[in-house]
Amino acid sequence: MAKSVTKTSAIADPMVERLRAALGQRAFTEQNMFGGTCFMLNGNMLIGTSKRGLLVRVGKAAHSAAAARPHARPMEMGARTMEGYVRVAPEGTATDADLRGWLDLALAFVGTLPAKSKSAKVANKRA
């Protein structure tokens, strides 16, 4: 399965390599978003990393439980809480098992979403 990889900066983020390895043979793409690298599955944002930690898409139904986990808090952009997304501090992804737990939570939600097509994105921008 083809993977689309975009170089994000001259300084390598070790979390990017850990996420690539954890995603294994899944067909994913990478995109620069939120000041870091986001991993996309079928055109949907799955999980991302930046110097502030991991950004995990968990969906609205799992938001409260995910935000209550150790080292996690609701994702905020400016003064707005992004329901369905949590930010995980680096301490919360210290082990491969920790990272796998967050990735599995994101995969469980994003796996329920329909695939996005590039043509739909272009059409929405033009509308």
Side-chain angles (χ1 to χ4, degrees):
M1 298 192 168
K3 294 178 177 105
S4 172
V5 178
T6 304
K7 295 199 184 239
T8 56
S9 70
I11 300 172
D13 179 351
M15 182 58 75
V16 170
E17 289 303 323
R18 288 181 66 203
L19 285 167
R20 286 176 184 152
L23 284 164
Q25 295 302 309
R26 287 180 181 85
F28 64 88
T29 58
E30 297 175 22
Q31 187 170 333
N32 292 333
M33 293 172 61
F34 304 114
T37 303
C38 285
F39 290 76
M40 314 292 282
L41 197 61
N42 296 320
N44 294 295
M45 189 267 183
L46 174 70
I47 199 164
T49 184
S50 73
K51 59 187 166 207
R52 296 178 306 258
L54 202 64
L55 172 60
V56 184
R57 187 172 188 185
V58 298
K60 291 181 181 182
H63 181 88
S64 293
R69 291 174 64 174
H71 309 291
R73 61 182 173 83
M75 167 67 179
E76 295 179 355
M77 298 252 331
R80 183 174 159 224
T81 297
M82 305 290 291
E83 191 174 357
Y85 296 83
V86 294
R87 170 99 41 213
V88 182
E91 302 81 34
T93 58
T95 69
D96 287 342
D98 293 336
L99 181 60
R100 170 58 58 195
W102 287 110
L103 182 57
D104 286 347
L105 192 58
L107 286 165
F109 173 68
V110 175
T112 68
L113 300 175
K116 290 184 178 178
S117 68
K118 283 189 175 190
S119 60
K121 288 181 188 178
V122 170
N124 286 337
K125 285 183 179 180
R126 291 182 183 163

